[in-house]
Amino acid sequence: MKNVVIIGAGPAGLTAAYELLKNSRDFNVIVLEESNAIGGISQTVKYNGNRMDIGGHRFFSKNEDVTKWWNELMPLQGSPAYDDKILNNAKPLAVNGPDPEKTDRVMLIRNRVSRIYYAHKFFDYPVSLKMKTLKNIGLIKTLKVGCSYLKTTIHKRQEDSLENFYINRFGKELYSMFFEKYTEKLWGRHPRMISADWGAQRVKGLSITAVIKDMFSKILPNKSKNRKVETSLIEQYYYPKYGPGQLWETVATEIENKGGTILKNSKAVKINIVNSNIESVDYENNQQITNIKTDIVISSMPLKDLIYAMGENVPQDILTIAKGLPYRDFVTIGLLVSKLNLKNQTKIKTLGDIIPDCWIYVQDEGVKLGRIQIFNNWSPYMVNDVEKTVWLGLEYFCDEGDAFWNMEEKECVELAVSELIKIGILSNKDEVLDATRIKIKKAYPAYFDTYKDIDKLINYLNTVDNLYCVGRNGQHRYNNMDHSMVTAFETVQNILSGKKAKENIWNVNTEQEYHEEKTK
């Protein structure tokens, strides 16, 4: 029996462990998790009867194997959820599916609503050309937007930065309104300093041209069956009753039921390599170092940390690349409020008639706040009193050790509340009932600094025969959850088949198309 050490109990690591144990009895699987939580950034945090989704995780994938995998572990609802039952909202329920009012292990079907909040007004995300959008922008600004875009059709910029990538698709005026400042908040760098690779993965296919095509495709009938079908953003997604962490906690239980071991609070600190092969891994738990002999290592730990753990034999140029790989860290402030100072002017029915958004992208320059989650709309079961309170997740992007990261929790919450009042989301601080703060390190691998040399780093890692790198941080790639899972699928297939080459694992999520598009 071969020993497999998997570093990290996030989506990639847990998927790999589950797949190995499900498909073979030839492996002894040990998962090392540095924290006390299951799911990585896809965990669900519980606080005073309410639950928080760190970062927001819509369960949607173009990969049918991923969707099938999710639904095998958590069946799709067959009866309405609490809010849909009260509001009489229709959903495409599964035949003989579980009732979320009676069963916990169930996947809900939720409406996808995301908007941009700019100058105290809501705009569609991505930007649409509805009359309301043009009215909110104003006549003069609309004319500037149009002229700016026409200019880009005549003169395309070289796409050597994220700024030029956006301007080529939206024109400089719309870029300045809806992309420039938010991107700088997210990455801590101006878009002109960021590689266009990030935009290519996240927004390809989204442009003014695509918006116009999408608008007319909804108005005009499709007369030809052979006509090329455009794509649009998904309108619904799956979501576990108690948030993403519920799925991964379920997977963890299944892993243990199949004979696997998950060690929490166990940080991999040393990767012991002999002749291009990992012979053992040292991990630290409660200030004690333990050595595990291993035949295979599947790593979802940050590439920077992985290289450091390999020790002094790593070539200096590889160490330099690893040291320079950048990340953005993440702070979520959970805020329980009695009400919002916003009217629901949509046609979407919600409990308490709150706005229906899952996410709100905050574009105002005068605040540090980046996004707002409204957990009531992700799942009514995330909120202890879903009809009388609103449970918010206020998302801030920062760097570990900077002034915001080091701020005292009370001061941080006060800043967040003041920003919500400033932009008109709350009326006053008396509406706040409870609050907490969660910090997440290395939430977003970034595409600048030594990232340009990452292929050299990948080539070096591929020389270690029994090492497989998976997941968002394991590949330093801005993967969605489903892409992280697919890297695990590919890894397990390679291990079971004896395939030595690893290109198929590294090539996951290089198709450069927007992650939340669907074909009509």
Side-chain angles (χ1 to χ4, degrees):
M1 182 171 286
K2 292 184 177 181
N3 289 330
V4 180
V5 172
I6 297 177
I7 303 174
L14 293 175
T15 299
Y18 180 84
E19 286 296 298
L20 278 173
L21 293 167
K22 182 179 77 171
N23 290 291
S24 175
R25 296 182 179 179
D26 296 334
F27 301 100
N28 176 41
V29 176
I30 299 175
V31 181
L32 302 177
E33 169 53 43
E34 178 180 358
S35 73
N36 192 42
I38 294 295
I41 196 174
S42 299
Q43 65 186 269
T44 297
V45 176
K46 301 169 187 175
Y47 177 76
N48 286 351
N50 298 299
R51 290 175 167 84
M52 298 173 63
D53 179 346
I54 303 300
H57 293 85
R58 299 187 185 101
F59 284 66
F60 166 79
S61 181
K62 299 173 186 177
N63 187 304
E64 293 182 2
D65 291 335
V66 170
T67 302
K68 181 180 178 182
W69 198 91
W70 285 336
N71 289 337
E72 284 178 353
L73 282 155
M74 295 196 74
L76 200 60
Q77 69 181 88
S79 299
Y82 178 75
D83 54 351
D84 290 333
K85 184 179 292 185
I86 292 176
L87 298 167
N88 198 28
N89 289 331
K91 293 285 176 63
L93 303 174
V95 177
N96 298 322
D99 183 348
E101 286 288 273
K102 301 176 181 178
T103 305
D104 287 342
R105 191 164 168 171
V106 56
M107 194 76 82
L108 307 180
I109 302 168
R110 307 303 293 173
N111 291 329
R112 178 200 184 280
V113 182
S114 295
R115 290 185 292 177
I116 295 168
Y117 191 67
Y118 174 75
H120 291 222
K121 295 176 182 177
F122 281 108
F123 295 83
D124 288 344
Y125 175 81
V127 179
S128 69
L129 291 182
K130 293 178 181 177
M131 187 56 66
K132 185 176 181 181
T133 303
L134 302 180
K135 182 180 178 181
N136 283 347
I137 293 176
L139 178 60
I140 294 175
K141 196 75 170 177
T142 298
L143 291 174
K144 287 183 178 180
V145 166
C147 292
S148 173
Y149 178 68
L150 289 175
K151 184 178 178 181
T152 67
T153 64
I154 299 169
H155 174 66
K156 290 289 184 184
R157 299 188 177 206
Q158 181 181 351
E159 292 193 357
D160 54 3
S161 70
L162 186 57
E163 177 174 65
N164 288 346
F165 177 92
Y166 279 134
I167 290 174
N168 280 347
R169 283 155 181 76
F170 297 94
K172 198 168 191 311
E173 285 292 326
L174 268 184
Y175 157 74
S176 297
M177 289 174 64
F178 296 125
F179 297 96
E180 184 176 16
K181 295 303 179 182
Y182 180 82
T183 303
E184 194 167 5
K185 279 184 192 181
L186 174 56
W187 296 113
R189 303 281 183 98
H190 193 275
R192 73 173 67 95
M193 301 171 64
I194 301 175
S195 166
D197 289 2
W198 186 85
Q201 282 189 354
R202 306 300 287 194
V203 298
K204 185 181 178 184
L206 296 178
S207 64
I208 285 185
T209 303
V211 167
I212 293 171
K213 287 181 178 179
D214 183 70
M215 180 176 67
F216 280 104
S217 71
K218 292 175 180 176
I219 298 172
L220 302 175
N222 183 3
K223 296 180 180 179
S224 171
K225 292 183 179 179
N226 297 321
R227 172 180 167 269
K228 182 180 177 182
V229 179
E230 296 295 332
T231 56
S232 66
L233 288 182
I234 61 166
E235 295 174 354
Q236 292 183 329
Y237 59 92
Y238 299 152
Y239 197 72
K241 179 177 178 177
Y242 292 125
Q246 183 192 10
L247 173 78
W248 298 113
E249 289 159 10
T250 299
V251 174
T253 299
E254 292 293 328
I255 289 168
E256 291 174 332
N257 289 343
K258 294 178 185 297
T261 301
I262 299 175
L263 302 176
K264 297 180 183 178
N265 301 308
S266 298
K267 180 180 181 180
V269 294
K270 186 82 166 31
I271 309 294
N272 302 298
I273 302 176
V274 178
N275 297 327
S276 299
N277 202 69
I278 301 173
E279 290 198 340
S280 65
V281 174
D282 294 350
Y283 71 90
E284 181 180 0
N285 180 292
N286 197 25
Q287 299 183 325
Q288 291 187 339
I289 303 295
T290 303
N291 177 269
I292 314 176
K293 299 295 182 183
T294 186
D295 298 291
I296 296 169
V297 172
I298 301 174
S299 173
S300 66
M301 69 192 294
L303 286 185
K304 176 182 289 189
D305 297 342
L306 176 63
I307 292 294
Y308 287 169
M310 288 181 172
E312 64 280 354
N313 293 326
V314 176
Q316 186 57 50
D317 62 330
I318 301 300
L319 281 170
T320 300
I321 296 168
K323 185 177 181 181
L325 286 177
Y327 301 83
R328 279 293 266 177
D329 305 292
F330 184 80
V331 171
T332 293
I333 297 171
L335 209 65
L336 187 68
V337 300
S338 57
K339 62 180 180 178
L340 299 176
N341 187 36
L342 296 169
K343 290 184 178 180
N344 180 13
Q345 297 179 333
T346 73
K347 296 180 180 179
I348 302 172
K349 295 181 292 183
T350 61
L351 291 178
D353 201 29
I354 64 172
I355 54 175
D357 303 74
C358 309
W359 261 332
I360 300 171
Y361 295 84
V362 180
Q363 300 288 357
D364 290 69
E365 297 179 37
V367 296
K368 187 174 176 61
L369 177 62
R371 286 188 313 207
I372 303 171
Q373 287 192 75
I374 303 178
F375 296 117
N376 303 51
N377 297 329
W378 287 92
S379 166
Y381 306 102
M382 298 280 279
V383 188
N384 187 43
D385 190 348
V386 71
E387 294 195 62
K388 295 181 180 178
T389 61
V390 185
W391 180 225
L392 305 175
L394 311 180
E395 301 181 355
Y396 288 86
F397 315 109
C398 58
D399 293 322
E400 181 185 355
D402 69 12
F404 187 82
W405 181 270
N406 290 333
M407 194 179 288
E408 293 293 328
E409 182 169 328
K410 181 181 178 182
E411 183 183 0
C412 191
V413 170
E414 288 175 351
L415 171 66
V417 172
S418 70
E419 290 195 338
L420 287 184
I421 294 171
K422 181 177 182 179
I423 61 176
I425 304 291
L426 294 180
S427 298
N428 58 73
K429 63 181 181 181
D430 293 336
E431 292 165 347
V432 178
L433 306 174
D434 201 357
T436 187
R437 178 181 66 176
I438 305 297
K439 295 180 177 182
I440 301 292
K441 298 178 183 178
K442 294 183 173 67
Y444 302 110
Y447 289 19
F448 39 82
D449 295 345
T450 58
Y451 172 80
K452 66 183 186 301
D453 298 317
I454 197 166
D455 286 345
K456 295 179 183 178
L457 182 60
I458 292 171
N459 290 337
Y460 173 76
L461 291 170
N462 284 343
T463 65
V464 183
D465 295 334
N466 61 339
L467 171 66
Y468 300 87
C469 295
V470 298
R472 176 181 283 198
N473 279 333
Q475 295 194 335
H476 200 89
R477 185 172 292 149
Y478 200 142
N479 286 328
N480 273 359
M481 180 169 52
D482 60 329
H483 289 100
S484 293
M485 292 174 61
V486 174
T487 63
F489 288 164
E490 295 290 330
T491 294
V492 171
Q493 288 174 10
N494 283 15
I495 292 170
L496 295 177
S497 66
K499 182 178 178 180
K500 298 297 183 184
K502 301 169 186 173
E503 287 81 4
N504 59 317
I505 303 168
W506 288 104
N507 286 339
V508 172
N509 190 20
T510 57
E511 70 274 17
Q512 296 191 347
E513 60 182 20
Y514 190 70
H515 292 174
E516 288 192 40
E517 286 178 346
K518 67 175 176 64
T519 301
K520 294 176 187 173

